[in-house]
Amino acid sequence: MSAHPVTRDVTTQAGLPACVEVDLDAIRDNVAALKRHAGRAEVMAVVKADAYGHGLVPSARAAVRGGAGWLGVAQLAEALELRRAGLEVPVLSWLHVPGQDFGEALAAGIDLSVSAQWALDAVATAARETGRAARVHLKVDTGLARNGAWGDTLDTLVASAARLEAEGTVRVVGVFSHFAYADAPQHPTVRAQQERFAEAVAMVERAGLRPDVRHLANSAATLTNPGAAYDLVRPGLAVYGLSPVPDLGGPEDFGLREAMRLTASLSQVKACPAGQGVSYGHTYTTAHDTRLGLVPMGYGDGIPRAASSVAPVQVGGRRLTIAGRVCMDQLVLDLGPDSSAEAGDEVVLFGRGADGEPTAQDWAAATGTINYEIVTRLGARVPRRYTEAGSR
Ligand SMILES: *Cc1c(COP(=O)(O)O)cnc(C)c1O
């Protein structure tokens, strides 16, 4: 599984200031690997937030090719875009606000998460108006204290859902929840949340409901807690080949590989004397006569400003650290006095660790965040280019 085609199209980013290369075969293969981790459970590939920055529709299609039977998104607009692109697998959308057009969602055959009474009422109204039973998943808060219903609200919600199902207005297709500490599988809340989830499922069944799918596991739980797989797992991060538990293992330890490679073209290379302060605030000073390389990417593209003077990049196979402040559109590298790099040369900001490139995880560690944020924050100004070696 770890062998991957080195048929990378080196011209993908030629002529572009910067480029996000997305290896769709990696996404496909990662989903296949997650299916093996999930045992008998199905896989819902989570493609919210533009597929964690990888591009919603191409990533979703690659995930389906890898065996994802479901797709998951946070927002309705994301679900509608998947349908407009012709994706036909079940799609669950789970974060809504009053006033949203649930009728449009039902017409598009989208499954809706319901975590509050207002949402169930609004979905039921839309179902009556459109004459089509709404497929809902009841979202239970088992201890994350975020989205979901608990306590008396949950009791009432389940009772209302049972009434609405009996009258044919909704069909309760799923019951689901989300972990607070999936990345620490031994944490006591993990077991406690699974127990509460089992109680919630039992309550739903006592109300006469028979949901098709119970689902609780995100990427970390899918990879480290097989007992939480139930009928369906909901991995996001791992679909893109990043480890949700970097302290427990890297991508290759779980049979995954990074799908995203972020590159830029050097825009300028120039000689610079020793003792020169570099970029805003002169927070970096050249130690000797050297050559500076200008990278046309900055925080306007989603490069964290916190990467200033700490994040790794690679030029011509050599590992460097960003020199001084990351600006809105640009950052600077101290290429060293002997560098033969010139304008137009490729700079790898992050890519695949197994190929010796800096990784999104390296960037996360350097900037005090998580790999999720590094890939998701890349902006629309950076074009996505998709590579696909085809069938294996
Ligand atoms: C984002 C999200 C996921 C996926 O989480 P990962 O940690 O990326 O696997 C699953 N379920 C819900 C409810 C989410 O919000």
Side-chain angles (χ1 to χ4, degrees):
M1 278 308 298
S2 61
H4 63 273
V6 192
T7 54
R8 181 174 290 136
D9 176 3
V10 291
T11 65
T12 1
Q13 61 105 46
L16 293 172
C19 177
V20 168
E21 244 178 71
V22 179
D23 178 350
L24 295 175
D25 292 338
I27 292 179
R28 176 200 61 194
D29 293 346
N30 291 335
V31 170
L34 287 159
K35 261 182 95 82
R36 290 191 291 275
H37 283 283
R40 283 159 51 185
E42 284 199 73
V43 173
M44 172 189 289
V46 177
V47 292
K48 61 190 179 185
D50 202 28
Y52 292 45
H54 293 66
L56 176 65
V57 169
S59 300
R61 288 205 180 106
V64 169
R65 278 199 295 280
W70 292 71
L71 296 168
V73 294
Q75 298 193 1
L76 223 41
E78 300 172 315
L80 292 167
E81 197 178 331
L82 292 170
R83 284 287 184 258
R84 276 196 299 274
L87 281 144
E88 288 174 351
V89 299
V91 175
L92 173 64
S93 169
W94 57 69
L95 195 58
H96 309 121
V97 295
Q100 281 195 291
D101 188 349
F102 293 113
E104 187 185 14
L106 297 184
I110 292 162
D111 287 19
L112 297 169
S113 164
V114 161
S115 55
Q117 193 63 45
W118 73 259
L120 185 59
D121 295 343
V123 169
T125 300
R128 290 189 191 102
E129 283 168 6
T130 56
R132 150 199 297 259
R135 287 168 51 94
V136 304
H137 297 234
L138 298 175
K139 179 84 190 269
V140 181
D141 193 331
T142 53
L144 173 58
R146 202 179 68 174
N147 189 13
W150 57 16
D152 296 346
T153 313
L154 178 62
D155 300 349
T156 312
L157 193 63
V158 170
S160 317
R163 271 196 307 279
L164 290 167
E165 181 165 294
E167 71 177 47
T169 308
V170 308
R171 159 115 174 76
V172 176
V173 172
V175 181
F176 76 120
S177 190
H178 197 52
F179 283 118
Y181 265 103
D183 54 348
Q186 306 305 325
H187 196 276
T189 58
V190 172
R191 172 180 277 270
Q193 283 195 258
Q194 279 180 248
E195 285 167 4
R196 278 194 219 167
F197 187 61
E199 287 162 17
V201 168
M203 179 175 61
V204 164
E205 288 174 350
R206 278 198 304 278
L209 297 167
R210 295 288 177 272
D212 303 333
V213 284
R214 302 158 296 165
H215 45 113
L216 181 55
N218 62 355
S219 295
T222 302
L223 298 175
T224 66
N225 184 359
Y230 298 95
D231 308 305
L232 180 65
V233 294
R234 298 189 312 271
L237 188 78
V239 167
Y240 311 102
L242 299 176
S243 172
V245 285
D247 296 340
L248 302 181
E252 53 288 351
D253 297 312
F254 299 108
L256 306 170
R257 65 183 198 265
E258 297 97 328
M260 183 188 285
R261 187 164 181 264
L262 177 64
T263 61
S265 282
L266 279 176
S267 157
Q268 182 187 52
V269 175
K270 65 185 174 201
C272 176
Q276 172 67 49
V278 173
S279 191
Y280 289 135
H282 283 180
T283 57
Y284 176 87
T285 303
T286 53
H288 38 67
D289 290 357
T290 189
R291 298 179 71 72
L292 297 181
L294 183 63
V295 178
M297 283 199 95
Y299 61 80
D301 303 290
I303 300 298
R305 192 165 175 274
S308 300
S309 290
V310 295
V313 303
Q314 196 162 288
V315 180
R318 269 186 57 226
R319 196 62 75 95
L320 302 167
T321 301
I322 291 172
R325 293 255 171 88
V326 171
C327 314
M328 185 182 291
D329 314 298
Q330 327 181 24
L331 59 89
V332 182
L333 303 175
D334 183 343
L335 297 166
D338 305 323
S339 173
S340 57
E342 45 186 76
D345 283 5
E346 182 186 72
V347 179
V348 181
L349 289 93
F350 54 82
R352 194 163 291 161
D355 291 350
E357 295 177 336
T359 62
Q361 176 54 35
D362 293 336
W363 273 66
T367 60
T369 184
I370 53 176
N371 49 9
Y372 291 76
E373 189 181 13
I374 296 297
V375 291
T376 305
R377 57 181 290 142
L378 294 174
R381 187 162 73 175
V382 190
R384 273 58 173 175
R385 291 288 180 273
Y386 297 95
T387 62
E388 208 167 9
S391 54
R392 291 177 312 132

